[in-house]
Amino acid sequence: MLRVSGPALVAAVRAQGAVGAFPTANARSVEELDDWVAQIKRLGAGIEALPPYCPNLIMRQARLKDDLACLLRHGVEMVITSVGSPAPVVQPLHDIGCLVFADVASIEHAEKALRAGADGLILLTAGAGGQTGWANGFAFVRAVRAFFDGPLVMAGGMSDGAALLAAQVAGCDLGYMGTRFIATRESMAAEAYKAMLVESRLDDVMLTRAFTGLDANMLRPSVVAAGLDPANLEELNSEEIARRKYGGGQGQEGPKRWKDIWSAGHSVSGIDGVDTVAGLMARTREEYESARQRARRLLE
């Protein structure tokens, strides 16, 4: 999650028995990324059966090669690749025994990622926060399961423990939860961002290409707060135009995406307060078990 997940959030998630992921782009430099990974390792020291931390390499990022070199030095066990083919990084990561999970939004993307050597797929479905997919999650996983029997992760619309169970029943091995973790005390999100998530619901999420040039789910109230009219955005922006207008570079024309204009997925309706990671995950486990018991009753 851009500008949200850092060492504290990743470490807290791992301490609760789940994989903690973060985009390497959240670190402002390769030097800071190196420090972050060292922090994550220190915070996990002494905890038995600790799940891996999982950096997310954005394939179109300018410093991709340097970030990759940093992760190789640290001997990472698991990496996510997004916004592009994983092909340039698969072999060097495999050489150190690292698993590569590719973010995919279509059958074509999935097939290309597997040909490139990806070990697992993250199915970016409709309803994911920020850069989002378009496919229905249940249809997507069944279509991919027709040709791939390896690890699958559902991303998008993972509102609670019941959604995680549904993803497993449909054929996924794991669920990827993002939006709900923005409103945790350990996240790097601004307090105003967390408060807006608590106050928002699914209808406050808007799909737009205006800010990135790609389909992205953003919080409509944050667009309004930035002085823009959600009904009159330039939806045909290319990635280059969107970067110039909202990317934060020299000569930027509008408010900065991710900093001033915030993302959220459809699962925002499940956020009713700001909690610790431990509290959120305890609640998710309860929801998951409740859903399992309900399913048993239905099958009796």
Side-chain angles (χ1 to χ4, degrees):
M1 295 178 288
L2 286 170
R3 305 182 71 91
V4 171
S5 47
L9 181 57
V10 171
V13 170
R14 296 177 76 210
Q16 292 298 314
V19 176
F22 70 102
T24 62
N26 277 1
R28 291 168 294 182
S29 65
V30 179
E31 291 73 22
E32 184 172 55
L33 174 61
D34 185 74
D35 180 63
W36 277 20
V37 175
Q39 285 186 55
I40 292 168
K41 289 180 174 180
R42 285 197 302 271
L43 291 168
I47 302 177
E48 295 184 5
L50 195 66
Y53 61 93
C54 186
N56 181 345
L57 286 169
I58 300 172
M59 301 306 295
R60 298 181 190 175
Q61 187 186 359
R63 58 171 221 244
L64 173 64
K65 290 183 179 179
D66 291 334
D67 282 5
L68 173 62
C70 176
L71 300 183
L72 294 173
R73 287 196 303 273
H74 280 281
V76 292
E77 300 176 83
M78 182 179 183
V79 160
I80 295 169
T81 63
S82 59
V83 196
S85 169
V89 303
V90 167
Q91 191 57 56
L93 289 168
H94 279 175
D95 287 345
I96 64 166
C98 177
L99 296 174
V100 179
F101 280 64
D103 229 2
V104 298
S106 69
I107 298 299
E108 182 182 6
H109 290 162
E111 292 172 336
K112 286 182 177 179
L114 293 174
R115 286 197 296 270
D119 302 289
L121 300 175
I122 297 174
L123 306 183
L124 188 61
T125 70
Q131 307 290 172
T132 189
W134 59 273
N136 172 276
F138 294 110
F140 198 3
V141 66
R142 298 316 304 158
V144 173
R145 274 294 179 227
F147 60 86
F148 180 59
D149 62 1
L152 286 184
V153 185
M154 178 82 77
M158 294 292 100
S159 302
D160 54 19
L164 289 174
L165 179 63
Q168 285 185 312
V169 172
C172 282
D173 301 283
L174 299 166
Y176 194 158
M177 298 181 75
T179 298
R180 288 191 70 183
F181 282 87
I182 302 174
T184 56
R185 295 177 191 171
E186 293 89 344
S187 93
M188 299 191 303
E191 294 304 314
Y193 186 1
K194 297 177 185 181
M196 185 175 288
L197 288 169
V198 174
E199 295 167 1
S200 297
R201 56 183 185 171
L202 192 154
D203 288 359
D204 292 309
V205 176
M206 62 178 291
L207 181 66
T208 176
R209 298 175 65 90
F211 303 111
T212 67
L214 301 170
D215 287 335
N217 279 319
M218 311 300 281
L219 275 174
R220 183 177 282 104
S222 74
V223 176
V224 174
L228 301 175
D229 180 358
N232 289 287
L233 297 173
E234 190 177 351
E235 290 292 345
L236 298 179
N237 275 354
S238 67
E239 291 181 65
E240 181 180 348
I241 293 173
R243 187 181 302 110
R244 185 177 70 243
K245 294 182 69 173
Y246 305 110
Q250 187 175 6
Q252 176 182 322
E253 300 173 14
K256 189 174 181 180
R257 62 193 184 198
W258 316 123
K259 180 178 182 292
D260 303 311
I261 300 167
W262 298 323
S263 66
H266 291 176
S267 58
V268 70
S269 284
I271 299 174
D272 55 15
V274 177
D275 200 354
T276 62
V277 166
L280 171 57
M281 293 189 68
R283 177 177 172 182
T284 303
R285 291 188 188 98
E286 291 173 359
E287 294 162 347
Y288 182 90
E289 186 55 36
S290 177
R292 284 186 62 186
Q293 293 175 5
R294 185 165 61 251
R296 287 196 193 99
R297 291 194 297 270
L298 289 172
L299 293 172
E300 288 175 353

